[in-house]
Amino acid sequence: MVFSPLIAELIDALRCLPGVGPKSAQKMALYLLERDHQGADKLADSLRAALDNVGRCRRCRNLTEETECQICQRTDRNSKLVCVVETPADVVAIESAGRFDGRYFVLLGHLSPIDGIGPEELGLDKLKEFVAEDGVEEVIIATNSTLEGEATSHYIAELLKSSNIEITRIAHGVPMGGELEYVDGNTLALALEGRKKIE
Ligand SMILES: [Zn+2]
């Protein structure tokens, strides 16, 4: 079946989403055009608004449309604790576990030389600044227990070694190769509590 150029373009654009192949992209495009104009309008508007306005928190690099994200703005969070995670979804996972009251630093990825992602792309100079300021006493590294997550954790531990703070790594409970986002809240809370000091 041959689609007109605008429809073909929409199908092609939808394929940028993770896990969406040509068949499902086609299905989504046709659904939006045929059956749910209102939904499609809302999708288009909110996508445009989010793209135009969402940036990174100047302090923790989490995604937000404000200069500082909601968590950084709060005064009741423990400013001595900083938890380093790979993605905004990890922040949501730890927040829903409900036992961590410190602040976060979001790498938005992990070290991956093959993809050209180095310390600069992860904002590690910013992490060093963050940790140096206002009384941070402990940095908990909660990157995924994948090879890349472990490599990133080692790098960060080395980087912060000279700062006079405790550096810990979340421990048991998170399976090897596991991504934080998919670990249940209780396990995550235990992993945070059982964190170990990185020598
Ligand atoms: Zn923030």
Side-chain angles (χ1 to χ4, degrees), residues 93-108:
I94 295 177
E95 282 299 289
S96 18
R99 306 240 199 118
F100 179 73
D101 69 344
R103 288 181 299 180
Y104 296 91
F105 188 84
V106 186
L107 301 170
L108 295 171

Side-chain angles (χ1 to χ4, degrees), residues 26 50-51 68 73 77 85 92 128 134 141 165 176 180:
Q26 183 178 311
L51 281 173
E68 278 192 12
Q73 281 181 41
R77 305 288 298 208
V85 294
V92 175
K128 228 179 160 179
D134 43 83
I141 305 176
I165 41 166
M176 272 309 287
L180 244 52

Side-chain angles (χ1 to χ4, degrees), residues 12 31 33 41 55 63 84 99 104-105 108 119 131 156 176 191 194:
D12 193 49
Y31 176 83
L33 293 171
D41 258 334
L63 297 174
V84 180
R99 306 240 199 118
Y104 296 91
F105 188 84
L108 295 171
V131 160
I156 294 172
M176 272 309 287

Side-chain angles (χ1 to χ4, degrees), residues 107-182:
L107 301 170
L108 295 171
H110 47 235
L111 290 177
S112 179
I114 286 178
D115 305 308
I117 301 172
E120 203 174 309
E121 283 68 30
L122 301 182
L124 293 186
D125 45 341
K126 220 161 185 187
L127 173 63
K128 228 179 160 179
E129 269 172 42
F130 186 178
V131 160
E133 70 181 36
D134 43 83
V136 174
E137 289 176 5
E138 180 181 349
V139 172
I140 305 166
I141 305 176
T143 51
N144 292 329
S145 350
T146 55
L147 278 180
E148 297 86 353
E150 291 298 339
T152 307
S153 165
H154 283 298
Y155 189 94
I156 294 172
E158 279 300 309
L159 181 77
L160 301 179
K161 220 174 184 175
S162 54
S163 336
N164 195 20
I165 41 166
E166 186 141 73
I167 302 157
T168 53
R169 174 87 173 110
I170 52 164
H172 52 74
V174 179
M176 272 309 287
E179 294 187 15
L180 244 52
E181 190 185 336
Y182 303 111

